[in-house]
Amino acid sequence: MRPPPDGAAEDALIPLSALQHYLFCPRQCALIHVERIWAEDGATAEGRILHERVDDGRPDRRRDVRTVRSLVIRSLALGVFGKADAVEFHGKGTDAIPYPVEYKRGRPKTHRADEVQLCAQALCLEDMFGRPVPEGALFYGQPRRRTIVVFDDALRRLTACVARDVRAMIAGQETPRPEYRPACKKCSLVHACQPRRLERPPAIARWLASRLDEEG
């Protein structure tokens, strides 16, 4: 018999996508998941349309591989929930091994945000199906082929560490201070974040003095 649902643990779950946002920029993650700010640009629109097309796909089976799309997943141990673009089940019956496939626009990144997001999906699948998930794949729009990701101990530790930090940030309702970086040019929230303007806010005393000077 399964244990009764843990309501507190369910309420504490954070969106799986927050892990990817956090590795790209902790402040972007807080703006989205703490302050509930969102803005779409050309890149996010392309990503949304890509995922809508993937989500519309139907389950299929080819030889010993059954593919399920838009599978709702969660892990109470990792503290995350979300939806996997596609999960292939390699093999037959209860011995089938889950194999997550995440679709991304653009090219492979120099950072590990996409790998962490995929590894978090794998940890959810392991919790849900009680089967080891040794690897998965990222499918990039350019060059339109899969990049295999092995879920080794280092990637699993990084994913658990990021999940812990994101849960703490969201629970504490904390938004990091802005820090301008080259990656800010690719962020759809740059106008809400205003990193160049707010990175070094003027001292209050200097601001008051300037206002008094203006008022004569």
Side-chain angles (χ1 to χ4, degrees):
M1 178 181 295
R2 291 185 175 183
D6 185 338
E10 296 277 0
D11 293 342
L13 294 177
I14 61 171
L16 196 150
S17 61
L19 277 58
Q20 185 201 33
H21 295 144
Y22 186 85
L23 277 174
F24 175 75
C25 171
R27 180 171 168 82
Q28 185 210 55
C29 180
L31 291 174
I32 296 172
H33 300 282
V34 174
E35 302 191 23
R36 306 294 182 184
I37 296 174
W38 177 251
E40 190 165 79
D41 61 7
T44 59
E46 287 181 15
R48 175 175 53 77
I49 292 170
L50 171 64
H51 283 91
E52 287 174 354
R53 290 173 179 169
V54 174
D55 291 348
D56 286 342
R58 295 181 178 179
D60 60 61
R61 176 185 287 278
R62 296 180 182 178
R63 296 183 178 178
D64 288 340
V65 178
R66 180 170 61 94
T67 302
V68 178
R69 305 182 192 283
S70 303
L71 181 65
V72 176
I73 56 178
R74 70 163 187 178
S75 168
L76 294 180
L78 194 61
V80 303
F81 75 98
K83 187 168 62 175
D85 285 345
V87 179
E88 298 174 350
F89 290 87
H90 294 198
K92 296 181 179 179
T94 56
D95 292 333
I97 302 297
Y99 190 98
V101 181
E102 178 72 12
Y103 289 77
K104 298 291 183 185
R105 59 169 296 279
R107 301 176 183 277
K109 316 295 193 306
T110 57
H111 52 71
R112 307 200 74 184
D114 293 344
E115 295 173 69
V116 165
Q117 182 182 14
L118 189 68
C119 185
Q121 294 181 13
L123 295 176
C124 289
L125 293 169
E126 288 183 346
D127 280 5
M128 293 168 62
F129 294 98
R131 303 286 298 173
V133 181
E135 70 174 40
L138 295 164
F139 182 91
Y140 287 98
Q142 300 175 17
R144 294 190 63 77
R145 65 168 177 255
R146 289 186 176 190
T147 298
I148 305 300
V149 178
V150 176
F151 306 126
D152 57 20
D153 291 343
L155 181 55
R156 289 169 182 265
R157 285 195 298 270
L158 174 62
T159 302
C161 181
V162 173
R164 181 197 62 206
D165 292 347
V166 175
R167 288 201 308 273
M169 187 184 73
I170 293 177
Q173 295 289 287
E174 301 172 356
T175 300
R177 292 178 58 82
E179 178 183 353
Y180 183 78
R181 301 176 300 145
C184 293
K185 298 176 182 176
K186 300 178 181 178
C187 180
S188 66
L189 298 183
V190 65
H191 296 298
C193 179
Q194 301 192 50
R196 282 188 182 279
R197 179 171 177 269
L198 300 178
E199 189 175 39
R200 294 188 180 87
I204 295 299
R206 192 164 63 247
W207 178 79
L208 283 174
S210 67
R211 293 299 302 270
L212 290 173
D213 289 343
E214 291 175 2
E215 295 176 0

